[in-house]
Amino acid sequence: MLFEPITVGALTLPHRVVMAPMTRSRSAQPGDVPRALNATYYAQRASAALILSEATQVDPRGKGYAYTPGMYSDAQVEGWRGVTDAVHEAGGLIAAQLWHVGRMSHVDFHDGAPPVSSSALAGPGKVWLGGDQPFVPTSTPRALRTEEIPDVVATFGRAARQAKAAGFDGVELHGANGYLVQQFLSDAVNRRDDAYGGSVQNRIRFAVEVLTAMCEVWAPDRVGMRVSPGLGVNGCDESDPVPLYSALCDAVNDLGIAYLDVVEFYGPPKHKPESPNDVQRMIRERFEGRYLANGGYDLNSAERALSRGDADAIVFGKPFISNPDLPRRLREAAPIAKWDKATFYGGEEAGYTDYPCLE
Ligand SMILES: Cc1cc2nc3c(=O)[nH]c(=O)nc-3n(C[C@H](O)[C@H](O)[C@H](O)COP(=O)(O)O)c2cc1C
């Protein structure tokens, strides 16, 4: 089934091997601008059914890692235009993943000011300041004031508009992996007592407002959202994933977005659970758009998930780093080249555009 076509909202995909959003920290500096090398990388992977771009900050305040690209300046739009043109010329489709890291950041990215979050609780993870500097602990954030939230929501609307100007085929909200959107969803992190904290309806409010802003720019059938329910990444534990994501499913059904990109698992294929867990099963049943499944999939588990009806398409991450022609390799059951973690973030061609295709 991996090689049967499918529609995802307005997009017709020729098969179901989707490329995951992956930060590679190789934008041009200063300015966090996509460049020709990035266009080459994405065009090499245009045989994906759909490429989800690396996470792209909607605003300078949404940045947390060195050399990640943005979607707010004219130069960035022009840089992204080079990427989308290259992907389209190679016959592919590409959606932009829109990102605000919230507390997963450092004062050095913000002229000494603290990053922002739902609450003033520091995250457990580390961020990269760039160059030879090591990964450093995140800075303690300050809680966004209620009256500031509409401005943050508006940055997503503006970035969605910029993504349209840059020629993308759609936009994906990064609501996963412990970044700002999930810092509102998570009851471990969100300690607010205003309309954005407490009940599940309040905790989904920020996500829904952001998606609404994105759907004012793009038809909802070109909007998706990434979630990582219950995984607790970057300290965003959720004590109640089923009711929380049930409420989110209902809200995004009302908006009519095209898909949810569900991170189900982090780890190697051999440790991946065979069956979906409760929250994943609930999303599959309740959400009316397409279910794109991600996390530790290989050819066999992908085919099994599709044939059982657990997913509509499979999102592959690391295998796409080291196999630019991954769909062909899966179709031919050819060997999958191993990726080199040392070149995931930063640098030039090595470990980025120099992985070969099959002869
Ligand atoms: C180098 C690297 C960068 C990543 N960057 C992002 C990102 O920008 N946005 C995101 O949602 N997930 C990101 N992820 C997570 C992947 O999209 C994916 O969820 C993860 O790799 C699990 O899928 P896999 O087992 O197929 O690799 C990243 C993963 C890696 C390895």
Side-chain angles (χ1 to χ4, degrees), residues 264 267 269 272 291 293-299 301-302 305 310-311 314-316 319:
E264 301 175 331
K272 187 175 172 61
Y291 184 111
N294 168 252
Y297 278 96
D298 59 16
L299 174 59
S301 58
D310 291 342
I314 307 296
V315 180
F316 291 88

Side-chain angles (χ1 to χ4, degrees), residues 20-24 53-56 97 99 172 174 176-177 179 226 261 263 265-269 294-297 315-319 321 339 344-345:
M22 283 182 291
T23 292
R24 305 303 309 274
S53 83
E54 65 206 278
T56 300
Q97 191 188 48
W99 190 35
E172 170 174 297
H174 194 346
N177 301 346
Y179 296 110
R226 175 166 260 216
D261 164 12
V263 185
F265 170 75
Y266 271 114
N294 168 252
Y297 278 96
V315 180
F316 291 88
K318 294 179 290 294
I321 289 181
W339 47 88
F344 275 0
Y345 306 108

Side-chain angles (χ1 to χ4, degrees), residues 107-287:
V107 293
D108 282 13
F109 289 123
H110 310 290
D111 298 324
V116 297
S117 184
S118 56
S119 299
L121 296 173
K126 293 191 170 181
V127 293
W128 185 40
L129 297 178
D132 297 333
Q133 302 183 78
F135 275 74
V136 295
T138 56
S139 305
T140 302
R142 70 175 179 84
L144 282 164
R145 293 189 304 279
T146 310
E147 63 274 17
E148 287 179 292
I149 292 180
D151 285 344
V152 181
V153 171
T155 61
F156 284 87
R158 270 199 299 278
R161 189 164 289 114
Q162 298 278 67
K164 204 171 211 183
F168 282 93
D169 299 293
V171 280
E172 170 174 297
L173 172 62
H174 194 346
N177 301 346
Y179 296 110
L180 184 62
V181 171
Q182 202 175 16
Q183 291 161 30
F184 277 88
L185 295 174
S186 158
D187 55 348
V189 176
N190 183 343
R191 306 288 175 81
R192 304 179 72 89
D193 57 10
D194 63 1
Y196 294 89
S199 66
V200 296
Q201 288 300 336
N202 281 357
R203 280 185 280 132
I204 67 167
R205 190 178 309 281
F206 180 72
V208 174
E209 288 183 355
V210 167
L211 282 168
T212 303
M214 290 165 63
C215 290
E216 281 164 8
V217 178
W218 288 82
D221 60 5
R222 287 178 184 266
V223 175
M225 177 179 186
R226 175 166 260 216
V227 292
S228 53
L231 294 190
V233 183
N234 285 324
C236 278
D237 293 305
E238 294 150 341
S239 68
D240 53 355
V242 172
L244 178 64
Y245 287 88
S246 298
L248 186 68
C249 282
D250 292 348
V252 298
N253 283 340
D254 288 346
L255 284 170
I257 67 170
Y259 71 87
L260 287 176
D261 164 12
V262 183
V263 185
E264 301 175 331
F265 170 75
Y266 271 114
K270 64 175 187 252
H271 293 143
K272 187 175 172 61
E274 180 54 37
S275 312
N277 64 23
D278 288 352
V279 67
Q280 292 155 7
R281 198 169 300 116
M282 179 283 297
I283 292 173
R284 180 59 172 155
E285 283 166 13
R286 197 159 182 137
F287 176 57

